[in-house]
Amino acid sequence: MASFLYLIVVIFLFSSSVNACDRCLHRSKAAYFSSASALSSGACAYGSMATSFFAGHIAAAIPSIYKDGAGCGACFQVRCKNPKLCSTKGTIVMITDLNKSNQTDLVLSSRAFRAMAKPIVGADKDLLKQGIVDIEYQRVPCDYGNKNMNVRVEEASKKPNYLEIKLLYQGGQTEVVSIDIAQVGSSPNWGYMTRSHGAVWVTDKVPTGAIQFRFVVTGGYDGKMIWSQSVLPSNWEAGKIYDAGVQITDIAQEGCDPCDAHIWN
């Protein structure tokens, strides 16, 4: 009975968090944050690490992209539409915050905003003067090269009864919708974690000893489990980052018709 209920929950998570048109081309407007500290304290809870992702090319996104935190870490290619100031390539940004404004879909870091400009002297400064610009954007895979996904144990974690983690450097173009947790062993007794806020997951049923994870990720119409067999050592510490030993490279399948899925060059 328990496994049946778990399956129902997972199916619900797939259906509620998958946006079949993520990769479609969207048209909206974008503004920028004049201070990087605004994004560093963002709703995804990346903190000061946020400005180090993608060389500071980060953004806050509207609720339909943020998805109650499931969209944290997603990557989007975005370009502005002013032919005098903007390049045709644009830039790639990572979502680190929630944009509550109804004026724009995205609010970019000033560095990302300037990166949309043509590579000519002064174009980036002139683009900043515009404040708000027309844009096109679409979701693209996050590429971290050969780097594995990481698990950061948050400072609020307290042995032996409370564990709070945050996923970092998640590749591909999928969303983690569920996390299972168990002690490393031949016949693990799997428990589950719940999303607390943003990219943070928690549990008050912490296994003893070394800890392994199973990440359930969306894949468009369905999902898959990615098993990280030995992540946290038995002497794990709050505030430390651990290599998950795996990376997510899947590209979500699209069910949006019609959909302009062209990724511009």
Side-chain angles (χ1 to χ4, degrees):
M1 181 64 178
S3 60
F4 174 75
L5 290 175
Y6 175 78
L7 179 61
I8 294 296
V9 170
V10 170
I11 291 174
F12 171 76
L13 286 168
F14 288 159
S15 62
S16 63
S17 65
V18 175
N19 181 344
C21 299
D22 260 350
R23 279 194 290 170
C24 290
L25 190 65
H26 299 272
R27 294 173 177 85
S28 180
K29 294 179 181 293
Y32 69 91
F33 284 105
S34 58
S35 171
S37 61
L39 283 168
S40 297
S41 57
C44 288
Y46 291 123
S48 60
M49 292 189 68
T51 54
S52 67
F53 298 131
F54 286 89
H57 290 201
I58 52 180
I62 55 175
S64 60
I65 297 174
Y66 178 76
K67 301 179 184 178
D68 294 324
C72 290
C75 293
F76 287 82
Q77 189 171 11
V78 54
R79 65 177 175 183
C80 53
K81 297 299 292 175
N82 184 326
K84 294 182 179 180
L85 298 176
C86 303
S87 72
T88 57
K89 182 179 180 180
T91 189
I92 293 177
V93 299
M94 174 181 156
I95 303 305
T96 62
D97 198 3
L98 171 64
N99 172 28
K100 297 179 180 179
S101 169
N102 60 5
Q103 291 185 297
T104 68
D105 281 11
L106 298 171
V107 182
L108 279 57
S109 62
S110 58
R111 180 173 295 184
F113 200 89
R114 295 198 316 269
M116 295 189 297
K118 284 184 174 180
I120 56 177
V121 176
D124 59 336
K125 293 180 180 179
D126 289 339
L127 187 59
L128 283 178
K129 293 177 182 178
Q130 303 300 308
I132 297 178
V133 296
D134 293 321
I135 60 165
E136 292 179 338
Y137 69 92
Q138 59 191 338
R139 189 168 180 181
V140 295
C142 294
D143 183 5
Y144 291 102
N146 295 323
K147 188 179 185 67
N148 286 333
M149 185 166 62
N150 285 185
V151 174
R152 186 183 193 277
V153 179
E154 300 294 272
E155 283 79 2
S157 300
K158 301 292 182 183
K159 284 186 176 181
N161 298 318
Y162 183 73
L163 177 62
E164 186 174 296
I165 67 169
K166 185 162 55 192
L167 302 182
L168 304 173
Y169 311 114
Q170 177 188 335
Q173 188 191 295
T174 55
E175 296 153 12
V176 173
V177 295
S178 178
I179 299 178
D180 295 334
I181 184 173
Q183 180 182 11
V184 174
S186 57
S187 299
N189 182 21
W190 291 99
Y192 64 91
M193 304 190 77
T194 56
R195 188 186 296 277
S196 170
H197 59 284
V200 178
W201 296 77
V202 302
T203 182
D204 58 4
K205 296 179 174 59
V206 184
T208 57
I211 297 175
Q212 59 183 323
F213 295 94
R214 290 189 308 198
F215 305 105
V216 181
V217 301
T218 58
Y221 297 111
D222 53 13
K224 65 183 289 186
M225 283 188 177
I226 295 178
W227 184 15
S228 186
Q229 298 186 39
S230 183
V231 183
L232 303 187
S234 58
N235 61 341
W236 57 264
E237 297 179 30
K240 286 198 171 183
I241 297 174
Y242 299 90
D243 191 330
V246 297
Q247 181 55 279
I248 298 172
T249 58
D250 298 77
I251 307 299
Q253 299 300 309
E254 294 296 337
C256 189
D257 185 26
C259 177
D260 179 4
H262 172 68
I263 297 178
W264 56 83
N265 297 315

